[in-house]
C-alpha cells in the first residue's frame, strides 16, 4: 500500500511539473486599448484565433476575422460581438490555400478599410494534399499564404505605423528543417502523406514562420513596423483534425486530456507580442509564455532566411 501511494504521489508530482513547464501559460496583463485601431486575425473563427480576436475586440479594436468558411466566420463574429459588446467585429473571406483568394482579400480590405495596425497571422493546418496553386497544403497555408498576405498589406501597415505583424509559430520548429531541393523540385516541404510526413512538413512550416519573421524584421528596419513570432503552447484546437492514423489519434487524445491548455491561455503570448509596450527593439525575435526565447541557429541564420524569402517570392509570383 505504501509503495502504491508512493507511485501515485510521484506521478502527481511529475504531472504537476510537466503541466507547469509545458502546459501552463502566463496571462498577459498589459492594459493597452485598441480604440481607433484595426486588427486582422487569420483563422479568427476558432481556437486561438477566436480567443485572440475576442481579446482584441474587448480592448476596443476593429477586428477583421479573416477565415475560409463564411458560415463559421460570420457566426464567430456574431458571438464575439455579443460577448464583448463591440459591434466592430466583421468577417472577411480568406482562403490561404488560394493565392487568388489572398489577393482578393487584400484588394477588398484595402478598399474598405483605412487602417491596419495589427496583422495576426494565426491560421495553420496539418493536412496532406495540395493547394489550388499546386503547392503542398502545409507549405501553402502555413507559410506561403501568410507571406503573400503580409507583403500585400505592408504598405498599409507602414502608413499606420507604429504597427506590428505577429506570426504564430510553434516550439515544433525546433524539430523542423527546410529541404530547399524538395521545395524547388516538388513545391512541398516533404514528400509522402503519412502522419509522420505531415508532422515533418508541419514542423518545417513552423520553422519557416520563424525565419520569415527574422527576415521581415530586417526588411522593415527604420519603418516603425515590427514583427514577432511565437509559440502559443500546447493548445486543444482543430489544428490536427486531418491527421487520422490510429496511432496518431491515440496520441492526440492523450495530449488533449493531459497536455493541452485552452485557447484563451494559448492566445496570451500572441497578445503579448501584439500589445506589449517597449519590445520594438526585439523585432524579429521569438517568444514563448510571454517571454523572449532564443531559437536554434538554423532559425536565426541570415543566409537561410534570405534564401527562404527569395524562394517564397517566386512561389507566390512576386518576382
Amino acid at each position: 500500500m505504501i509503495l502504491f501511494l508512493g507511485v501515485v504521489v510521484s506521478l502527481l508530482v511529475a504531472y504537476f511539473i510537466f503541466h507547469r513547464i509545458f502546459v501552463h501559460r502566463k496571462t498577459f496583463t498589459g492594459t493597452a486599448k485598441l480604440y481607433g485601431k484595426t486588427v486582422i486575425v487569420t483563422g479568427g473563427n476558432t481556437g486561438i484565433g477566436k480567443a485572440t480576436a475576442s481579446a482584441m475586440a474587448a480592448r476596443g479594436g476593429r477586428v477583421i476575422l479573416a477565415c475560409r468558411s463564411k458560415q463559421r466566420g460570420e457566426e464567430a463574429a456574431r458571438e464575439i460581438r455579443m460577448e464583448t459588446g463591440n459591434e466592430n467585429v466583421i468577417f472577411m473571406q480568406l482562403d490561404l490555400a488560394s493565392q487568388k483568394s489572398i489577393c482578393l482579400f487584400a484588394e477588398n480590405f484595402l478598399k474598405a478599410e483605412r487602417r491596419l495596425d495589427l496583422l495576426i497571422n494565426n491560421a495553420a493546418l496539418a493536412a496532406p494534399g495540395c493547394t489550388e496553386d499546386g503547392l503542398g497544403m502545409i507549405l501553402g497555408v502555413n507559410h506561403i499564404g501568410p507571406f503573400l498576405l503580409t507583403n500585400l498589406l505592408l504598405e498599409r501597415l507602414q502608413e499606420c505605423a507604429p504597427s506590428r505583424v505577429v506570426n504564430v509559430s510553434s516550439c515544433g520548429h525546433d524539430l523542423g528543417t527546410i529541404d530547399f531541393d524538395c521545395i524547388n523540385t516538388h513545391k512541398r516541404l516533404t514528400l509522402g502523406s503519412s502522419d509522420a510526413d505531415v508532422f515533418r512538413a508541419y514542423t518545417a512550416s513552423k520553422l519557416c514562420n520563424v525565419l520569415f519573421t527574422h527576415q521581415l524584421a530586417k526588411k522593415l528596419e527604420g519603418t516603425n513596423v515590427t514583427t514577432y513570432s511565437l509559440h502559443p503552447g500546447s493548445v486543444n484546437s482543430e489544428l490536427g483534425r486531418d491527421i487520422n492514423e490510429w496511432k496518431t489519434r491515440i496520441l492526440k487524445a492523450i495530449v488533449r486530456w493531459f497536455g493541452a491548455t485552452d485557447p484563451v491561455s494559448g492566445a496570451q503570448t500572441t497578445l503579448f507580442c501584439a500589445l506589449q509596450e517597449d519590445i520594438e527593439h526585439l523585432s524579429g525575435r521569438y517568444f514563448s509564455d510571454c517571454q523572449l526565447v532564443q531559437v536554434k541557429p538554423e532559425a536565426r541564420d541570415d543566409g537561410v532566411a534570405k534564401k527562404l524569402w527569395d524562394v517564397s517570392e517566386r512561389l507566390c509570383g512576386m518576382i
Side-chain angles (χ1 to χ4, degrees), residues 34-228:
L34 293 171
Y35 297 108
K37 298 185 181 297
T38 300
V39 185
I40 292 175
V41 182
T42 67
N45 64 303
T46 187
I48 299 171
K50 185 179 180 184
T52 300
S54 181
M56 298 294 186
R59 292 168 182 267
R62 177 170 175 79
V63 181
I64 313 297
L65 306 187
C67 319
R68 182 180 59 179
S69 169
K70 185 174 188 293
Q71 178 182 347
R72 296 182 68 187
E74 289 182 340
E75 180 181 352
R78 183 168 57 252
E79 290 173 352
I80 293 172
R81 288 194 297 267
M82 290 180 62
E83 290 169 3
T84 65
N86 183 346
E87 292 300 313
N88 289 310
V89 181
I90 65 172
F91 159 78
M92 289 184 67
Q93 195 159 40
L94 170 67
D95 182 359
L96 289 169
S98 165
Q99 292 180 19
K100 179 180 179 181
S101 174
I102 296 168
C103 291
L104 183 60
F105 171 89
E107 180 182 347
N108 290 337
F109 174 84
L110 293 172
K111 286 180 180 177
E113 303 290 334
R114 293 186 305 105
R115 296 196 61 85
L116 178 56
D117 301 272
L118 293 169
L119 171 59
I120 313 295
N121 287 315
N122 164 83
L125 52 68
C130 292
T131 71
E132 71 172 42
D133 305 292
L135 305 177
M137 184 64 74
I138 293 175
L139 172 63
V141 172
N142 294 9
H143 170 59
I144 297 298
F147 176 89
L148 176 58
L149 177 65
T150 302
N151 276 282
L152 291 172
L153 299 175
L154 270 186
E155 185 175 340
R156 182 59 53 85
L157 284 161
Q158 290 172 345
E159 292 171 354
C160 299
S163 54
R164 295 183 183 182
V165 179
V166 177
N167 297 315
V168 179
S169 179
S170 164
C171 67
H173 82 272
D174 275 328
L175 302 175
T177 188
I178 299 178
D179 184 343
F180 284 104
D181 289 337
C182 188
I183 295 176
N184 288 324
T185 303
H186 303 286
K187 298 183 180 180
R188 303 170 68 94
L189 289 164
T190 61
L191 298 179
S193 58
S194 70
D195 282 359
D197 296 319
V198 169
F199 178 75
R200 283 195 296 270
Y202 176 77
T203 59
S205 75
K206 296 293 99 179
L207 178 56
C208 288
N209 296 155
V210 177
L211 287 163
F212 169 47
T213 304
H214 178 86
Q215 184 66 13
L216 181 62
K218 289 182 175 298
K219 290 183 173 291
L220 291 174
E221 287 179 1
T223 66
N224 215 12
V225 181
T226 53
T227 181
Y228 313 91

Side-chain angles (χ1 to χ4, degrees), residues 261-272:
T261 189
D262 61 279
V264 172
S265 296
Q268 297 307 301
T269 304
T270 301
L271 296 175
F272 177 92

